[in-house]
Amino acid sequence: MSARRSARLRGYGSTWVRPADLSGETLTPTIASARSDNRWFPLARQMRVRADADYVGFVRSLLRGVLPPGETADFGEYDLRLFDSVNEMRGAILAREREVGLARLVAGYAWDWKTRGNEPGFDFEIEGTQFTWNRTDKDWINAPTSIDEVGSIHTVQGYDLNYAGVIVGEDLRFDEATQQMVVNRASYRDRKGKENLSKLQQKTTDDDLLRLVQNIYGVLLSRGALGTYIYVADRALRRYVKSVIPGSHTAQRHGGHPLPGRS
């Protein structure tokens, strides 16, 4: 990759979602050179997200665990909600699909892909509801069955949605004692994500994996142009997210539409 090209990719490390991808540390010398030559062009906003404030910056700070509880941002009519029930979130996504289309469930890679190759059955279960990963990895969002499936990072990166319902799995947790985000290596199920960085002659440490998981959720949480719905599996992390999303609780709205059957 040339210096001139990378100079245009501010925050490229935020899309580092596999160990084989270029990390921020790898690009640092090139970025420094671009800055010194005045060829560094910061991309201040994610134009796909129709929020009044810096939503992407909010997401990055949220995933780093550095937002003080109670310190919230005003995203105008952007429909940002946290759900205590994944079933309620799924119902809301189905309602948005009927209303405006391009509403999908997506998730971090915290469950095995048992149905890979169109094997029968389901991949994971939450609250008694069975979920199936994407049946195809090619143009999944436009597949006729996608509304009934859950997309992974490998199927949604680079795509835009109107609404994204994001399931944050147990691979990302919040330590309330240290007030820090932590990764649960056992719950991260993407085998390629755990592979050794053989070309760089180093292994994927827990810190590496934490950044990778944070980046994955950063991508998932920035797919929705009109709104993002969130369900968090880890209870401590859910409490933290609830403390920084304005007006956040089950069946509460922040901009956009009320929940189905609610005023």
Side-chain angles (χ1 to χ4, degrees):
M1 179 180 289
S2 70
R4 186 170 298 276
R5 181 181 178 187
S6 64
R8 302 176 64 86
L9 300 177
R10 180 178 187 264
Y12 183 81
S14 65
T15 58
W16 180 61
V17 296
R18 295 175 302 175
D21 294 339
L22 290 177
S23 67
E25 287 81 359
T26 303
L27 290 174
T28 295
T30 300
I31 291 172
S33 174
R35 284 182 183 275
S36 65
D37 294 339
N38 294 318
R39 291 186 286 105
W40 177 249
F41 306 102
L43 303 178
R45 298 187 64 180
Q46 181 80 276
M47 298 307 295
R48 69 160 56 89
V49 177
R50 300 178 188 177
D52 290 348
D54 181 9
Y55 173 75
V56 174
F58 170 83
V59 166
R60 289 174 179 167
S61 296
L62 171 70
L63 293 170
R64 292 199 304 270
V66 298
L67 292 175
E71 184 174 303
T72 60
D74 182 5
F75 298 114
E77 288 301 303
Y78 190 73
D79 194 359
L80 176 63
R81 311 183 199 178
L82 174 68
F83 289 75
D84 286 336
S85 166
V86 72
N87 287 320
E88 284 201 38
M89 183 177 79
R90 182 174 182 272
I93 285 294
L94 291 172
R96 299 295 85 76
E97 171 67 12
R98 290 190 296 268
E99 293 169 1
V100 298
L102 280 180
R104 300 289 184 273
L105 287 176
V106 296
Y109 217 138
W111 296 273
D112 289 321
W113 191 4
K114 302 173 185 175
T115 61
R116 187 169 188 169
N118 283 321
E119 291 292 324
F122 63 96
D123 292 301
F124 58 96
E125 184 174 333
I126 306 175
E127 296 175 5
T129 298
Q130 297 173 349
F131 295 91
T132 304
W133 284 119
N134 44 278
R135 291 285 185 178
T136 179
D137 54 4
K138 295 181 180 179
D139 197 26
W140 169 77
I141 284 174
N142 295 310
T145 59
S146 60
I147 187 59
D148 299 314
E149 300 167 356
V150 180
S152 73
I153 180 64
H154 305 304
T155 59
V156 301
Q157 190 174 21
Y159 280 84
D160 292 344
L161 294 168
N162 285 324
Y163 287 89
V166 182
I167 302 174
V168 180
E170 293 277 359
D171 50 344
L172 186 63
R173 294 180 173 178
F174 186 70
D175 187 327
E176 292 181 316
T178 63
Q179 294 291 292
Q180 291 183 333
M181 293 288 183
V182 294
V183 68
N184 179 3
R185 182 178 283 265
S187 292
Y188 184 68
R189 312 304 293 179
D190 189 347
R191 287 176 296 178
K192 287 189 176 181
K194 291 182 176 180
E195 68 187 3
N196 292 342
L197 299 175
S198 57
K199 291 184 178 180
L200 298 179
Q201 297 184 341
Q202 66 184 51
K203 293 185 177 181
T204 306
T205 66
D206 283 348
D207 285 343
D208 291 332
L209 192 57
L210 174 61
R211 283 186 300 151
L212 184 147
V213 169
Q214 288 168 325
N215 291 343
I216 288 172
Y217 284 116
V219 172
L220 299 180
L221 290 166
S222 59
R223 296 302 92 188
L226 302 179
T228 299
Y229 299 166
I230 308 171
Y231 170 79
V232 181
D234 179 65
R235 292 181 181 274
L237 179 55
R238 193 187 311 166
R239 286 191 289 269
Y240 169 71
V241 174
K242 186 177 292 188
S243 75
V244 296
I245 289 184
S248 178
H249 57 77
T250 300
Q252 178 71 36
R253 65 187 286 272
H254 174 62
H257 305 276
L259 283 175
R262 311 256 181 179
S263 60

